[in-house]
């Protein structure tokens, strides 16, 4: 059944939790889970995610939003967002030639693990077209000229602007320009194939082999203007040894990459991730 | 500074979160973290832990308790408990000859990781007396006659009744009788050296070796009348291989045991563990 | 390039490693890796896996086998097996309605992670036919009458006898009779959806929820006459909490199941698993 | 009983394993475990660790060494080292004010987990003197002048030169000069409180908090002239979340640090770690 989710964020002050709970109570909502976190008991930032059941949520939504506006925004100076579990996020996945992250997302989506609508897969190569179409999902081939990304990004914007709530880079391996980020106006999640901040940039598995690390990792993060520097959503590692070549590290790493990316996308699509400066609060 | 913790439990009904938050608001408390969980959105059990700051908490405590009694107990039929971070739980640790769990608890306690007062260590052997006394903690040797535990348990009760809030069995290896459990009237946490419900009972490492498992584990649980069947608080495992003998499994397992027990004790002493039938909710 | 693998097993005696190394040396082989393990330095069981490169291995194979027969079998009373990396094992996968283990095996096989030939997928349901055929692998639907498995097993034997080196039960959920095991004459690997020996038998996730465990697991093992009692090849776990329902445990568990099964199949197909009574030595 | 360990290293050539096994065979040794690894089947580096039992090993040692010299050094151009499990390595531990790594090493040593002789603990502070002396181990206070380390290092050399086989820096937090490294002439193992190469240098937990990582780690490595750049022996991580402050990260990290350092020291003292350029082979 339908679930509402209210995210509240701002400067911590006494009484916010009571205000949120009272508003929901007045509308007849039943709180299913409430997670609250403050960075500091005295004067920190406040983060709250409340999931609730409310008969006729969609009908009452404008009124509820007015009440939140009045009492949270004006009363406490808080930012808030209201989401409904029935309005799935529209997601576009960007891929290149590697299939592991893409297929894991599509397969988990098909079996109901990822609450999202995959509107299309965009790739700079056509290799994965057949795999994607078997899932009944549109595949669009947009070649990228590395000297001039303008044409490709214009095409991306034509396809996506106003039509997506999230872009997932499933080992897309192409630079996303600040200009594109600004124009698209929705969050972009990337999977980096290392345990950030170790091995920022290219060829992390080769560099991991050279450094002789005993664990390799993967990091899902929001994309910002600076390469591999955006807020981290999730990370994980797997044990390796001297025996594995750089190619075998890449193979073991692929397993971690797909798990980490799928978890990050699931959390984002369930409205569990709240950015806090350059890090994230996952509630 | 002082922190209050309010645990609320009972049949889920709309409005409980709002009631708790309002009461705390009225007393001027600032909620630092609130975790809430319901087993079912429709008609489940409700569990909530709220940590808050309140100037002059101890002075206001009777009034706050009256308000909670009126509005939570009578109003909603909920059970609740109020704790103060300044009232550390009084803990007695029972040990036998193995030192790893006991010393890890005492060492973590000394460095400030475990919010508790260790009132004494009781052992059926005297081997660990010197180790315990170096931590400045009383050590009491109470030999146990396996044919008749009455004398030992009488001595335990003399030492502890009314003076402890928690008993921790740090590889005590002796049976705790239902009679003792009832008389002592406080929770008892045990560490079992297997991943329950695998290898209930004696010699789990030997049986793990015989079965050829690839991971071994440890389980911290509340003690109930039935051996190794009480509510589980925490579990963990470590990877092993065919190379290790049963003795080496015991050695690797000791590391997991001490971590799992220390975590369970830390959570219990921070009022984070709420029993739910034969399982636990850890908030 | 081609790799030979020699597995040697038997009662430990001084000189076996030297004999193996000398024979390989005489034939001009270069040892790439050698792993050796004895259960006891005095009078235990000896296990050795040697991977080597040898130009013209296939041509020399009969002579090499004669030398091994003479010096290992007759000289030391050891059992041995010689494998070539170019002779992939012929594998039949049995599935039912769950797709996660099956698809993970097929997908890893396609990307070159699993050194095997999948000759066919057999299922008692037709649900997964389309998914399997997209990988270019034959799918055979063999319905099973739970009252009388004779007809189904006769069909299985017709399809497989003499044509497979390994059967993998990818959440097949049907009983394999001792009679079938004996007739088919090849190893059968099963994935059990619990951390054995916990939750042997049916509905492990439901029972895990009831017991309130904090980790759930999966176990890959060779199938023997006794249900869930065969030699364990690999196990792993994932952390869960009170929040997850039995259905969510099953979903989290599915990820562990597919990893554990894929690892076990990869190791078996690389001749790394040697049974030792009711456990395994993985070299 | 006594165990011999032979480490062999050099350019891979056919016949080395056979030569080693034959020599040991001729001397009547029984090989208990043999691990061999080559970086490349064609022309890589060869690493082998062989553990064996040999009655009267010490008496035969000179002869065995002559045979190894003749057939491995001259015959194959290999480097080798022969160790006896009865000759424990003499270890000096350097500490500062943090007790967790130091006490874990001493406690594991006392319970027989670490095959070494701890000859002394050296610290630039006197805080831990009492803790160390309870283990019956000499504690030497050598203050360090950060402007001029010469006096302290001279004192270290007086105490240690010729008397240690290994130095362990258990969160010593002082720079080790290249000059000292050269003069002392034995391996030095350090524990760095991050997952290298992430957070090289000072204050890794604070920087981990700022970067918002979801796992924190620790790395044990051999000390070389370049800070935090030596060959890695072991690493591990622990999951953290937005909830933890930098201080709480340090507390969680302390558990990983002590495990990782203890494992690295155990492996080194069992002759299982072979440097390979700037990485290690752990056999």
């Amino acid at each position: 059944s339908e679930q509402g989710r209210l995210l509240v964020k701002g400067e911590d002050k006494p009484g916010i939790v009571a205000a949120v709970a009272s508003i929901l109570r007045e509308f007849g909502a039943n709180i299913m889970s409430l997670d609250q976190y403050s960075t500091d008991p005295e004067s920190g930032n406040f983060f709250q995610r409340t999931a609730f059941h409310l008969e006729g949520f969609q009908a009452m939504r404008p009124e509820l939003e007015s009440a939140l506006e009045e009492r949270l925004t004006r009363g406490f100076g808080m930012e808030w967002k209201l989401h409904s579990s029935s309005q799935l996020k529209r997601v576009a996945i960007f891929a290149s030639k590697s299939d592991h992250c893409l297929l894991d997302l599509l397969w988990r989506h098909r079996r109901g693990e990822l609450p999202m609508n995959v509107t299309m897969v965009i790739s700079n190569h056509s290799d994965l077209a057949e795999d994607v179409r078997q899932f009944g999902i549109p595949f669009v081939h947009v070649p990228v000229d590395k000297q001039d990304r303008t044409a490709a990004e214009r095409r991306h914007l034509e396809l996506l602007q106003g039509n997506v709530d999230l872009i997932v880079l499933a080992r897309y391996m192409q630079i996303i320009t600040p200009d594109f980020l600004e124009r698209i106006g929705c969050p972009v999640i990337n999977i980096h194939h290392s345990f950030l901040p170790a091995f920022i940039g290219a060829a992390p598995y080769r560099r991991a082999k050279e450094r002789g690390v005993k664990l390799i990792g993967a990091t899902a993060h929001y994309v910002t203007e600076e390469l591999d520097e955006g807020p981290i959503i999730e990370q994980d590692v797997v044990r390796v040894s001297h025996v594995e070549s750089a190619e075998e590290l890449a193979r073991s790493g692929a397993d971690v990459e797909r798990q980490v990316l799928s978890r990050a996308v699931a959390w984002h699509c369930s409205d569990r991730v709240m950015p806090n400066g350059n890090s994230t609060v996952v509630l």
Side-chain angles (χ1 to χ4, degrees), chain A:
Chain A
S1 70
E2 192 170 8
Q3 192 190 86
R5 294 170 197 146
L6 176 63
L7 302 186
V8 182
K9 184 176 168 174
E11 201 186 312
D12 196 3
K13 302 183 195 68
I16 304 173
V17 175
V20 169
S22 298
I23 297 169
L24 290 173
R25 177 78 193 95
E26 291 161 24
F27 280 77
N30 191 22
I31 294 175
M32 293 163 57
S33 77
L34 190 160
D35 291 283
Q36 189 264 317
Y37 162 71
S38 295
T39 53
D40 190 293
E42 304 300 323
S43 61
N45 293 314
F46 174 97
F47 298 88
Q48 183 179 317
R49 178 187 188 270
T50 311
F52 57 88
H53 269 280
L54 172 52
E55 278 301 313
F57 171 36
Q58 290 305 344
M60 276 186 259
R61 190 161 176 163
E63 275 174 276
L64 178 54
E65 291 186 335
S66 296
L68 293 166
E69 176 67 22
E70 189 186 321
R71 287 152 73 180
L72 294 187
T73 314
R74 287 203 287 276
F76 285 96
M78 306 303 282
E79 292 173 54
W80 54 269
K81 277 187 192 165
L82 194 60
H83 299 276
S84 163
S85 69
S86 67
Q87 286 181 298
L88 297 180
K89 297 201 196 309
R90 299 161 301 169
V91 178
I93 306 176
F94 283 41
S96 188
K97 286 182 171 180
S98 293
D99 64 353
H100 57 284
C101 287
L102 174 64
L103 293 186
D104 203 59
L105 287 169
L106 297 181
W107 172 77
R108 286 181 196 272
H109 176 243
R110 183 177 82 176
R111 74 196 310 248
E113 285 187 23
L114 296 176
M116 64 182 185
N117 281 325
V118 183
T119 58
M120 73 182 71
V121 171
I122 292 176
S123 178
N124 57 331
H125 291 99
S126 56
D127 308 47
L128 301 174
E130 212 39 57
D131 278 328
V132 170
R133 287 181 182 135
Q134 286 167 5
F135 285 94
I137 285 174
F139 178 94
V140 186
H141 179 207
V142 180
V144 173
D145 176 351
K146 295 198 181 190
Q147 305 314 311
D148 181 5
R149 298 176 188 276
T150 326
E153 294 203 335
R154 196 180 309 125
R155 182 82 180 107
H156 292 156
L157 287 167
E158 280 169 21
L159 288 163
L160 301 176
Q161 223 163 20
N163 292 320
V164 280
D165 302 306
L166 175 70
I167 291 174
V168 178
L169 307 181
R171 296 297 308 275
Y172 179 52
M173 312 299 281
Q174 297 293 315
I175 288 163
I176 302 296
T177 67
D179 183 60
F180 176 80
L181 274 184
E182 196 187 311
R183 283 171 191 247
I184 195 68
C186 74
V188 178
I189 294 177
N190 183 45
I191 179 77
H192 184 72
H193 40 317
S194 83
F195 181 81
L196 289 176
F199 308 122
I200 290 176
Y205 291 123
R206 184 177 53 69
R207 289 152 66 205
K209 180 66 189 172
E210 286 165 10
R211 185 61 190 89
V213 294
K214 301 298 186 185
L215 300 166
I216 54 168
T219 305
H221 63 94
Y222 290 117
V223 176
T224 57
E225 296 201 6
E226 275 191 83
L227 183 68
D228 301 336
E229 295 285 6
I232 292 170
I233 305 168
E234 171 64 336
Q235 303 187 286
D236 215 336
V237 295
V238 67
R239 190 159 281 278
V240 296
S241 80
H242 59 270
V243 169
E244 279 129 315
S245 63
E247 291 68 35
E248 287 164 321
L249 295 188
R251 187 179 286 184
S252 295
D255 265 2
V256 187
E257 293 167 29
R258 64 179 189 163
Q259 285 173 45
V260 165
L261 181 60
S262 290
R263 256 182 259 153
V265 169
W267 295 346
H268 179 92
C269 289
S270 309
D271 304 308
R272 294 186 51 197
V273 189
M274 301 176 82
N276 176 24
N278 201 45
S279 63
T280 62
V281 171
V282 180
L283 294 174

